Amino acid sequence: MRYIHGITTIPPAEPDNALIMGQTVHTGIEKSLEEAIKEYSFSYPIITDAAKTYLRSFDYIVSDEYHYMVTDASFNDHVDASYEAIKELWTTKTCIFMSATARPFFDYWELRKMIPEGQHYRLPMDYRFVSSVKFFYRDDDELDIIRRVQPGEKILVFVNTIAKLRKLRDTLKAEGIEDVACLCSKYRQEAEEFDKLDDVLKGNVLQHQVTLTTTTLYNGVDMKDRALKYVVSELWNPLLNAQILGRKRPLDEGDTCAVYLLHYPKERLEGEVKKIQKYQLEPVEAYKEWFDDKKAWKAYLHQPETLEILKKSHTVVLDPREGEYCWRKRANLQARVERVFLLQMLEQGYQTELLKKIDESLLAKVERLEPPLLEYLDAHLNEERYYQDWQKIFFELGHIYNKADRHAEKSLPSYTFARQWLQHYGYDLGSKQKRFEAGQKKMVWWVTKLEN
């Protein structure tokens, strides 16, 4: 938990009569609320029967970072227990829920009139610190963004997977970019090969020029670092991206940063929808239909695909304590919310819908990502060169290669494909045979700028 926003709106309470719940349940009896905040630490709530009884002794329960009900439920086994425990209390106790990104919950409660009039407070989001929003399309684009970071500047990159974390780190270091830190959750088996949080962030200041991280840094970590000028995200989920942007805490109006977001094409969005349907939603339907019928459930488990599906399921999981499968309802809610997001993105357009769901003010900040090749072209217009020399420049600076290439070793671009790429950015490519001093004819290319 970062701050207790709006704590003064709670009626005065006795010192020992308020409990703070966020990503943990603080179980000590504090002398004061200030002391509780000081002792607050990051973990995840484990609500036992004894803890439920203990909760009932408090008059006020503050549940911070409440978005974890629809963002962390896919990997946190205790979210359901936390939700149910608080739900039991909110009719008899004063429960306060806080988050910058729990809109699916809060909007639903408003729609159903579950929040009494005058008991809902919303502060406007402030993204003035975002100087621009640009979408990138390939790993090559992402590498170019990192390469452009100047001395004295820092960049924070959120990746999708551990495999990508390794690949990006190794690629950058192979290029001689050494000031790179990598971070994943300390609870993951792979954490040993990466940096520790204390080595990455000290006193709200990043310790390296390039910081690569999984979503372990997306939540509850403030970065008050004027040198942080670039934030990059490979994630599609708007709730996670809103949290990611919130890591930058500007020190003043001049403390800004550029944001780069990965574009998800239609095919990839459709693939995400299919994965959610197959691995998250369909197991729940099977569970609801067959679990109480032991014979039918056993038959379902013995179907060829079932166990492979359940290995990837977060909604129906094997409870090692009970020795049988259980239905995690908050993870199911997360899957449903994500599916709605994806379908809306498919219908309305990915980039627009993503930014609208974070904050509509970002739509006015979208700029086109210009490849580094364009700056080079402007300095070398109309220069006739042997065509293979231009091919190498297009390949290395513009990452232009023949579209049909799907293998790891991309081939130098053909004249036709290079010209199509250049025309998209307002340039053109000329070609002709030219006789050189030895009397040999060779093909030369040159780049011109198209008239507006």
Side-chain angles (χ1 to χ4, degrees), residues 330-355:
R330 294 313 105 197
N332 184 48
L333 174 63
Q334 179 177 337
R336 284 164 44 206
V337 167
E338 289 179 348
R339 186 174 183 274
V340 168
F341 284 160
L342 289 163
L343 292 176
Q344 289 172 340
M345 289 169 171
L346 282 165
E347 183 179 344
Q348 303 296 331
Y350 173 72
Q351 296 186 10
T352 299
E353 197 63 24
L354 172 63
L355 296 181

Side-chain angles (χ1 to χ4, degrees), residues 163-175 177 180-182 193-195 212:
K164 181 59 182 290
L165 193 66
R166 289 194 189 101
K167 180 181 177 183
L168 200 50
R169 174 200 62 190
D170 295 345
T171 300
L172 292 171
K173 293 202 171 184
E175 292 185 5
I177 302 175
V180 177
C182 287
E193 68 179 275
F194 300 121
D195 298 286
L212 312 175

